[in-house]
């Protein structure tokens, strides 16, 4: 009787273990951030002076985990090393130019809902959306003027926590996939801002992320 019960239970346990093993998917990802920031710039009436804030390119990569919650729907989280920031250039006609490159490195933890929206043979399309919580790891500014470059840490001047709203899409072919995401920063990244900065406006991230990787 005991042997019969064990024989009947073994396939059920194996099936349950198999289901648990496939209950989530792990993704190794890497790519680039194309970022800028809402830099407050006071209005100037000097026609010879121009200010530009071109996008900054930085690394993003790490591990993502998908946990299915319903047919075609999954919860996504994980950890991503994400380099963001902005480059600001000031040019004075006939005089020269100066550049300040701000680089901020975060550990980003997404909390996204991923929904399958299309499927054709081995290709599947997904939409994803949700908050992204960032933990500041380091920050620095590098200034260049007249061929001289100076670098200074501004880690203590940047808030320890960042929060953004992310929307994006994914195309997956077998175990290979590609992501495009946009994160709209919701928190002022300046710690203990001065009164004049508060009056002009806040400094928030605006980031496009392009990633690809492998599903295990």
């Amino acid at each position: 009787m005991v042997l019969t019960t064990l024989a009947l239970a073994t396939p059920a346990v194996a099936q349950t273990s198999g289901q648990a093993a496939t209950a989530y998917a792990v993704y190794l990802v890497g790519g680039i951030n194309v970022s800028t920031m809402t830099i407050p710039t006071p209005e100037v009436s000097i026609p010879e002076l121009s200010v530009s804030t071109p996008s900054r390119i930085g690394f993003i990569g790490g591990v993502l985990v998908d946990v299915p919650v319903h047919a075609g729907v999954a919860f996504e989280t994980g950890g991503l090393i994400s380099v963001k920031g902005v480059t600001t250039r000031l040019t004075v006609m006939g005089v020269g130019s100066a550049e300040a490159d701000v680089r901020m490195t975060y550990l980003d933890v997404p909390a996204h809902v991923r929904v399958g929206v299309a499927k054709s043979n081995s290709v599947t399309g997904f939409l994803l959306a949700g908050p992204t919580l960032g933990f500041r790891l380091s920050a620095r500014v590098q200034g260049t003027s007249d061929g001289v470059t100076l670098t200074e840490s501004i880690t203590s001047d940047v808030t320890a926590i960042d929060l953004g709203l992310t929307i994006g899409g994914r195309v997956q072919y077998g175990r290979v996939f590609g992501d495009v995401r946009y994160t709209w920063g919701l928190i002022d990244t300046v710690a203990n801002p001065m009164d004049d900065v508060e009056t002009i406006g806040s400094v928030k991230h605006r980031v496009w992320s392009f990633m690809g990787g492998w599903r295990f």
Side-chain angles (χ1 to χ4, degrees):
M1 182 66 179
V2 174
L3 293 176
T4 302
T5 303
L6 288 175
L8 292 174
T10 299
V13 172
Q15 182 179 4
T16 302
S17 300
Q19 289 175 347
T22 58
Y24 62 89
V26 178
Y27 298 82
L28 183 64
V29 302
I32 63 170
N33 282 334
V34 181
S35 62
T36 186
M37 303 184 77
T38 59
I39 299 293
T41 54
E43 295 184 2
V44 294
S45 58
I46 306 175
E48 295 82 5
L49 175 65
S50 64
V51 181
S52 62
T53 54
S55 299
R56 189 186 192 284
I57 307 298
F59 169 79
I60 182 170
V63 176
L64 296 174
V65 178
D66 278 356
V67 180
V69 296
H70 195 269
V73 181
F75 171 75
E76 179 185 273
T77 187
L80 300 170
I81 299 298
S82 182
V83 179
K84 313 171 190 179
V86 67
T87 300
T88 302
R89 293 173 182 164
L90 290 81
T91 303
V92 179
M93 187 180 303
V95 177
S97 62
E99 179 177 292
D101 179 68
V102 178
R103 183 181 70 190
M104 303 177 183
T105 303
Y106 291 85
L107 173 62
D108 280 352
V109 179
H112 302 160
V113 175
R114 194 204 67 191
V115 180
V117 294
K119 184 174 178 62
S120 176
N121 298 324
S122 298
V123 179
T124 307
F126 301 92
L127 292 179
L128 58 91
T132 298
L133 185 63
F135 298 90
R136 182 258 295 141
L137 301 178
S138 66
R140 66 100 173 114
V141 60
Q142 181 174 283
T144 302
S145 178
D146 295 329
V148 178
T149 299
L150 298 175
T151 302
E152 180 181 355
S153 172
I154 56 170
T155 301
S156 60
D157 299 319
V158 176
T159 53
I161 301 295
D162 186 43
L163 178 65
L165 179 61
T166 300
I167 58 173
R170 172 181 298 169
V171 175
Q172 184 168 309
Y173 176 77
R175 294 185 177 275
V176 180
F177 75 96
D179 276 12
V180 177
R181 309 180 182 204
Y182 182 76
T183 301
W184 182 276
L186 302 175
I187 292 180
D188 188 351
T189 61
V190 179
N192 303 315
M194 297 180 295
D195 291 339
D196 56 343
V197 175
E198 287 184 312
T199 302
I200 297 171
S202 57
V203 181
K204 301 176 181 179
H205 290 292
R206 301 288 186 261
V207 186
W208 282 99
S209 300
F210 302 89
M211 297 187 292
W214 183 266
R215 177 184 182 274
F216 292 93

